[in-house]
Amino acid sequence: MSRSENRINKSLFYLFIGVGIFLRTFKLGENPLWADEAFTQYWSKSIIEGEWRWLWEIDFNPPLYYIAQSPFSYFLSDFFSNEISARIPSLIFEFIFIFLAYKFLKSKTKNNFPQIFLMLWMVSPAAIEAARTGRGYTLLLLFSFLAWRKIKRVLETTDIKKNMQTTDIKNKIIFIISTTGMLYTHYYGFLILGGLFLYSFSIKKTKAFLVSLIPTILLFLPWLPKFLIQLNRGNEMI
């Protein structure tokens, strides 16, 4: 590739990044909060104000995103509109995902695929909509990506002995944090765990996957009674 072609490719790359950032932030605070966003904003503020204890009996969502958004909703609302303070966390979590995904792809391939991924992602209507929505979708995406990355490494190293033990423990810890974060962010996390199970089945490492999942199940148990309350309330509403 000539120097001029390389310069053009870099210019296009940065252009797509700029366009993607613009599409995510342009008039971010002008569209009013829709129902779920307003609910999330209100209860995120209430967590800091100590008025949240009965939230879990009327809502069908786990608590982590409310907790993550609470500092933004409570403190930034003094400087920005409710719309902006409610949506900034989604943007932050998506940008962290983009950085990690791009870094991962760069480490795995020497072709232009990482740049193509980033360019397409930055102008994807679905990705833009999720990033501009004050809900937990991008945090779920971030945890899901980390969980997939780490369980892939854990399963790959189950047959490798002591020289990989330290790295394996680190990967397992990050996997546990990621999968627990998924379940405490959105109940779609159960579907993602189902996908990871199918992946482990496809490479004949189901037992190792299930063993790695035990700490996540134990960490979710304290929330299980509230989840059952939410489930019963959802059935009543249906």
Side-chain angles (χ1 to χ4, degrees):
M1 182 181 292
S2 67
R3 181 175 295 181
S4 60
E5 288 176 333
N6 189 44
R7 190 175 299 168
I8 291 172
N9 287 340
K10 281 188 175 181
S11 299
L12 285 173
F13 177 66
Y14 290 121
L15 174 64
F16 272 81
I17 292 177
V19 169
I21 294 173
F22 173 78
L23 292 173
R24 284 161 173 77
T25 56
F26 180 64
K27 293 186 176 181
L28 186 64
E30 291 197 8
N31 291 329
L33 297 174
W34 58 286
D36 282 355
E37 285 183 304
F39 186 87
T40 303
Q41 177 77 339
Y42 174 78
W43 284 111
S44 296
K45 286 183 179 180
S46 299
I47 286 176
I48 290 182
E49 294 170 353
E51 301 174 1
W52 54 273
R53 288 192 174 91
W54 60 284
L55 162 64
W56 324 121
E57 297 183 13
I58 64 171
D59 185 37
F60 191 68
N61 283 289
L64 185 57
Y65 188 75
Y66 293 105
I67 295 170
Q69 185 173 321
S70 59
F72 298 92
S73 298
Y74 190 79
F75 296 108
L76 290 188
S77 57
D78 292 335
F79 305 98
F80 301 100
S81 66
N82 269 330
E83 287 76 12
I84 291 179
S85 62
R87 292 163 180 161
I88 284 177
S90 288
L91 287 170
I92 293 173
F93 294 133
E94 194 215 16
F95 286 138
I96 295 173
F97 160 75
I98 291 171
F99 171 77
L100 293 177
Y102 179 75
K103 185 179 177 182
F104 166 69
L105 292 173
K106 285 282 286 184
S107 70
K108 293 297 181 181
T109 178
K110 295 182 180 180
N111 56 30
N112 292 328
F113 184 73
Q115 288 85 348
I116 293 171
F117 155 77
L118 186 58
M119 291 164 67
L120 292 177
W121 184 274
M122 293 303 285
V123 296
S124 164
I128 293 168
E129 182 64 23
R132 289 175 61 93
T133 301
R135 295 287 286 170
Y137 307 125
T138 57
L139 181 57
L140 177 67
L141 173 68
L142 175 59
F143 279 135
S144 303
F145 173 74
L146 290 173
W148 171 75
R149 286 277 292 109
K150 296 308 174 182
I151 196 58
K152 190 171 183 291
R153 288 189 177 183
V154 168
L155 297 180
E156 286 173 350
T157 57
T158 50
D159 298 327
I160 301 175
K161 301 300 181 182
K162 292 183 179 179
N163 59 334
M164 292 293 291
Q165 191 170 7
T166 303
T167 304
D168 190 42
I169 291 172
K170 179 182 175 182
N171 289 329
K172 285 180 178 178
I173 291 172
I174 297 175
F175 172 74
I176 291 166
I177 294 171
S178 301
T179 50
T180 305
M182 283 189 332
L183 298 183
Y184 276 93
T185 298
H186 202 291
Y187 294 133
Y188 283 161
F190 286 108
L191 296 178
I192 296 166
L193 286 181
L196 294 177
F197 172 79
L198 292 176
Y199 167 74
S200 70
F201 181 79
S202 70
I203 62 172
K204 299 180 180 179
K205 295 287 182 69
T206 305
K207 182 179 179 181
F209 172 75
L210 294 176
V211 170
S212 299
L213 201 59
I214 290 174
T216 300
I217 296 171
L218 294 176
L219 289 170
F220 187 75
L221 285 179
W223 185 253
L224 185 60
K226 294 180 174 61
F227 171 68
L228 295 175
I229 292 172
Q230 293 176 336
L231 195 61
N232 289 332
R233 185 169 181 81
N235 290 333
E236 290 174 4
M237 293 176 67
I238 294 173

